[in-house]
Amino acid sequence: MHIIATGDMLTNDLGDRLRAILGSQGLVEPNAEFERYCISFDGAFRGPAQYVARPSSTAQVSAVVTACRKAGISMVPQGGNTGLAGGAQPVDPRSVIISLERMRALRAVDPQNDTITVEAGMPLAEVQTHAVDVNRLFPLSLASEGSCQIGGNLSTNAGGTQVLRYGNMRALTLGLEVVLPDGSMWSGLRGLRKDSTGYDLKQLFIGAEGTLGIITAATLRLFPRPRDIVTAFVAVPTPVAALDLLHIARSHVGESLSAFELMRRECMKWVLVALPEAI
Ligand SMILES: Cc1cc2nc3c(=O)[nH]c(=O)nc-3n(C[C@H](O)[C@H](O)[C@H](O)COP(=O)(O)OP(=O)(O)OC[C@H]3O[C@@H](n4cnc5c(N)ncnc54)[C@H](O)[C@@H]3O)c2cc1C
């Protein structure tokens, strides 16, 4: 969440340094637009900052991190700002928010190897679309997919609706590129499945909420698209009965079961109040 570094650059030099690195497009200073970065999407978390850095390349991320480290300023990486735990909001008003929103390039897609390599700021829904374009599936799916970014999904180890079959982001990731707190880059972008070399360092950064570095790109696993999807909507009397049903369904279809969600009667009542036409 927060990378805190110490150093000797004077804080008031920091703005000049960041402006020189990022140009006018890349640095947001306190103004009306600035506010949206300091508040979580639902308004539940708010945290002040002195700048929002919007790098457009890994080299710029590295230069920004180096400048902040020298100034002794804490950095808060931010993706689509849809996280539910306040991890993308600063606690120290001198912080610099580093938003990945301008780093959204598709670096490579390889349908033969079933991999896609994207920059961390690419929204999840775009990754799904790029996969469909080559007749493949990227299975992570969550209600915030139009706004959340791959870097945020990785940093929260997101699961989503199909986690039963495909696993969470730990299971969907083959390689990462990360800028470390000293500004150096760790390059672990690879699409190798049977990798038995040493420590699996990428796993340190997945689910770390940005505490160990800023993820700038990832190589992700793709899958064949299912030919048919069958959905059943079943009423169960208790959560225990839902678990029994899950067990029965798994016994019959095994790994083909991709999603299993339990909705409370109360939720359904509110959906029908909000969307009466859904009946
Ligand atoms: C409607 C809704 C439904 C959701 N459903 C699910 C669900 O089904 N399953 C689930 O797991 N989650 C779910 N979530 C929460 C989920 O964690 C986020 O939607 C998403 O994974 C966060 O991505 P983000 O880009 O918005 O990250 P942010 O909110 O911007 O950041 C989240 C954390 O990651 C860090 N971070 C962001 N980008 C980077 C980066 N490039 N490098 C390092 N650190 C970074 C931030 O500092 C912060 O700590 C849901 C959220 C909403 C609003």
Side-chain angles (χ1 to χ4, degrees), residues 134-264:
V134 292
N135 197 25
R136 290 291 186 274
L137 172 76
F138 181 63
L140 184 72
S141 177
L142 26 137
S144 56
E145 62 199 23
S147 311
C148 64
Q149 301 173 4
I150 283 300
N153 299 147
L154 285 157
S155 301
T156 58
N157 189 23
T161 57
Q162 304 198 87
V163 76
L164 276 182
R165 180 169 181 181
Y166 298 102
N168 51 20
M169 280 304 274
R170 276 194 200 291
L172 297 174
T173 307
L174 291 171
L176 289 184
E177 177 189 273
V178 183
V179 170
L180 301 174
D182 67 353
S184 64
M185 187 184 75
W186 178 73
S187 183
L189 274 185
R190 53 176 78 181
L192 191 62
R193 278 171 180 74
K194 188 175 185 298
D195 184 352
S196 45
T197 55
Y199 301 108
D200 192 356
L201 291 178
K202 67 176 181 296
Q203 294 296 350
L204 284 175
F205 301 101
I206 301 175
E209 298 256 355
T211 50
L212 297 179
I214 300 182
I215 297 169
T216 49
T219 299
L220 306 167
R221 298 173 66 188
L222 299 179
F223 296 82
R225 293 172 74 196
R227 291 213 189 122
D228 294 304
I229 298 175
V230 177
T231 307
F233 192 61
V234 181
V236 288
T238 61
V240 172
L243 288 175
D244 291 341
L245 180 61
L246 173 61
H247 182 70
I248 293 166
R250 274 188 147 157
S251 307
H252 281 80
V253 299
E255 293 301 307
S256 304
L257 184 72
S258 55
F260 191 91
E261 300 259 328
L262 179 62
M263 284 183 276
R264 294 179 60 209

